[in-house]
Amino acid sequence: MALTGVEIFKLLPKTNCKKCGHPTCLAFAMKLAQRQASLDACPDVSEEAKKILGEASAPPIRPITIGVGDKAVKMGEETVLFRHEKKFVNPCVFAVEINDSMSDEEINKMVDDVLSSEIDRVGQKLRIDAIFVNNVSNDAGRFESVVMAIASKAPAVPLIIATNNPDAAMVAVKAVADKKPLLYGANESNVEAMANIAKTYKTSLGVTAKGLDALSILTEKIKGLGVDDIVVDHGARSAKEILEANTYIRRAAIKKNFKALGYPVINFAQRDDRVLESLVATLGVTKYASIVVLGSIEKWKNLALFTLRQNIYTDPQVPMQVEQKIYKIGEPTPESPLTITTNFSLTYFIVSGEIENSKVPCRLAVMDCEGLSVLTAWAAGKFTASKIAQFIQESGIENEIKHRELIIPGYVAILSGAIEDKLPGWKVIVGPREANGIPAFLRSKVSQ
Ligand code: SF4
């Protein structure tokens, strides 16, 4: 059972020393009870209290990692039902299904598509994260060879070994145990054998059952067999049932602290109709899936799903912003143009990307506006003529460039006169309103 703030307070040192960043031990206890603080923040807590509180303050959804190295993916550890209450922690994993009855050529093509799926968006690398290798052939030898071939072609990509045949599971997991795969396929009839394989090779175990009662009985059984890292499949496949079951599991784990369902959830979105598949996947991304299995890779689908996931898993309390400074794009000379924008990450990456596209070396002055976009910052009084002038003067740019021309975003053309008043000797040039107009604008400017 979760402890109340007062129960937690009784176990803390009660010195109000503030080392945890909170004004009193009681304030810290209240944050712990709401799962908005970590016990590690108090350096003076006793070992006995740690033992009691460690269990009580553990995240209601168990953290689980599959894979090793830079591309390993962490799931679970969520603490809230709604993103705005705090944040969603570990982005859901996109896995694509490759089944072992496909031809070697088809398998190679799918693996190539996974490897080339990575895109860079707002400074983050986004990709298809894992491969769900499905033992459709029910042939243990074929399954093992396909798993090994995929692991050797894509050694860094986390694997989900999917079979309900313990013999096939044994050979396949043994072949790639060092990559810490997820073994998926435990059910009522094979649970002892599958748990034994997961325990032997120290992998996490995916379990499936029809209905949440049966599922929670199975997870308790698996835990009793010595496997703690579990991923649950509630068996729902229609969009409506997936939404209901995912929500029920998240509510049971977060609101009731029901440990038997406090595990990451895997959803299956594969559909022949790719648009429908995308829609089912978006349901999983927005409502509590930790793994969404897809049937294919298409660039348009990746873009839509990656963007959605990035938005859902961005911390709503922390604006996405970049550092205030003058960025050099290309190899600008003292004569190269100087442009200015705000430090909202999306604005920065779009503007800098379009400057790169122009092939015109340039300096981009990025001004701290608390992560707001140009128009919002202007409306909020953070991107004003005085503040821009102060930033330019204090940046030291006047020692780096020979000209005195500043290109401002077209949306704040209204500021041009006021900036020239505040920056004597400078000429303000109004750039395009939309970033996609930047390449043509810069090219025409340097050819003048
Ligand atoms: Fe209390 Fe520990 Fe925070 Fe100090 S660091 S105020 S002892 S909870």
Side-chain angles (χ1 to χ4, degrees):
M1 280 294 292
L3 297 178
T4 65
V6 174
E7 286 167 333
I8 295 171
F9 171 67
K10 288 180 184 162
L11 295 161
L12 293 176
K14 302 188 205 66
T15 57
N16 297 335
C17 71
K18 301 186 177 62
K19 286 185 223 164
C20 59
H22 293 85
T24 61
C25 293
L26 184 59
F28 182 60
M30 292 302 171
K31 286 284 175 193
L32 276 180
Q34 293 160 17
R35 300 181 194 283
Q36 290 177 354
S38 162
L39 187 59
D40 303 343
C42 173
D44 302 327
V45 70
S46 71
E47 285 306 314
E48 192 201 344
K50 257 187 209 165
K51 209 168 147 213
I52 301 167
L53 291 174
E55 175 70 14
S57 65
I61 298 177
R62 186 174 173 82
I64 287 170
T65 299
I66 59 172
V68 290
D70 288 352
K71 291 192 175 166
V73 282
K74 193 173 181 188
M75 302 170 283
E77 227 174 4
E78 304 299 336
T79 58
V80 293
L81 270 182
F82 302 106
R83 174 179 175 267
H84 61 261
E85 291 174 331
K86 192 179 175 197
K87 65 174 179 175
F88 288 170
V89 181
N90 287 308
C92 88
V93 169
F94 291 125
V96 70
E97 178 182 356
I98 294 180
N99 78 61
D100 65 353
S101 64
M102 292 163 85
S103 70
D104 291 349
E105 199 184 357
E106 286 173 304
I107 291 172
N108 271 330
K109 163 87 174 60
M110 290 283 277
V111 177
D112 283 339
D113 287 348
V114 171
L115 292 173
S116 61
S117 65
E118 184 170 290
I119 61 164
D120 190 324
R121 186 173 186 273
V122 202
Q124 289 180 7
K125 306 272 187 217
L126 309 172
R127 62 179 82 90
I128 296 290
D129 311 277
I131 297 176
F132 182 92
V133 196
N134 198 356
N135 179 211
V136 171
S137 71
N138 206 25
D139 172 339
R142 170 69 182 161
F143 191 46
E144 180 191 13
S145 71
V146 168
V147 166
M148 286 175 70
I150 293 172
S152 111
K153 192 171 167 65
V157 179
L159 296 176
I160 302 171
I161 308 289
T163 181
N164 54 22
N165 173 352
D167 294 336
M170 174 66 90
V171 292
V173 168
K174 189 177 175 188
V176 293
D178 59 331
K179 298 186 185 303
K180 293 274 167 261
L182 163 66
L183 170 60
Y184 165 85
N187 58 36
E188 223 171 55
S189 59
N190 66 11
V191 63
E192 282 90 0
M194 296 290 269
N196 191 31
I197 297 166
K199 194 175 168 189
T200 304
Y201 294 105
K202 298 188 173 52
T203 70
S204 40
L205 183 61
V207 55
T208 180
K210 268 271 172 231
L212 300 180
D213 290 342
L215 189 59
S216 42
I217 291 168
L218 270 185
T219 59
E220 290 291 274
K221 192 166 182 178
I222 290 169
K223 205 164 173 239
L225 290 166
V227 177
D228 292 324
D229 289 345
I230 301 169
V231 171
V232 291
D233 167 20
H234 41 56
R237 295 294 180 265
S238 77
K240 176 174 177 288
E241 288 169 353
I242 289 173
L243 177 62
E244 284 171 357
N246 284 8
T247 306
Y248 191 93
I249 288 176
R250 176 64 71 95
R251 290 188 70 87
I254 304 276
K255 291 288 180 198
K256 308 284 180 198
N257 205 23
F258 183 56
K259 293 289 180 197
L261 289 177
Y263 298 102
V265 173
I266 184 169
N267 283 171
F268 294 86
Q270 303 100 308
R271 299 287 191 280
D272 290 337
D273 178 338
R274 302 304 186 206
V275 174
L276 192 57
E277 175 172 297
S278 308
L279 292 173
V280 176
T282 61
L283 199 69
V285 174
T286 48
K287 282 292 180 187
Y288 313 142
S290 285
I291 303 175
V292 173
V293 182
L294 303 164
S296 66
I297 297 180
E298 280 101 12
K299 282 196 172 143
W300 61 266
K301 194 167 67 185
N302 290 356
L303 263 182
L305 292 176
F306 294 171
T307 306
L308 175 70
R309 177 178 62 177
Q310 192 178 33
N311 287 342
I312 297 289
Y313 282 87
T314 296
D315 186 344
Q317 297 163 83
V318 179
M320 290 180 75
Q321 52 189 324
V322 294
E323 188 190 345
Q324 166 171 291
K325 66 176 189 180
I326 312 273
Y327 291 80
K328 289 182 179 174
I329 300 172
E331 290 179 9
T333 65
E335 285 78 25
S336 297
L338 171 67
T339 64
I340 188 165
T341 191
T342 66
N343 72 330
F344 176 40
S345 290
L346 197 57
T347 302
Y348 165 75
F349 283 102
I350 289 173
V351 170
S352 60
E354 293 295 351
I355 294 175
E356 273 174 34
N357 288 343
S358 76
K359 307 269 186 265
V360 177
C362 202
R363 286 181 177 77
L364 176 60
V366 172
M367 188 172 137
D368 182 4
C369 295
E370 297 171 24
L372 298 178
S373 62
V374 169
L375 267 184
T376 317
W378 171 72
K382 297 182 192 305
F383 197 55
T384 61
S386 334
K387 288 181 178 167
I388 291 171
Q390 185 184 358
F391 169 49
I392 291 294
Q393 280 163 339
E394 291 175 359
S395 68
I397 189 67
E398 286 173 312
N399 300 323
E400 271 186 53
I401 57 176
K402 287 194 174 152
H403 63 82
R404 291 292 180 265
E405 283 185 358
L406 177 65
I407 302 168
I408 62 170
Y411 276 115
V412 288
I414 194 170
L415 293 179
S416 59
I419 297 172
E420 284 182 354
D421 289 346
K422 306 272 178 196
L423 271 180
W426 280 74
K427 181 178 172 195
V428 172
I429 296 168
V430 177
R433 287 164 76 94
E434 301 297 340
N436 61 9
I438 290 175
F441 173 84
L442 285 178
R443 281 194 289 263
S444 76
K445 179 154 181 21
V446 292
S447 67
Q448 281 167 8

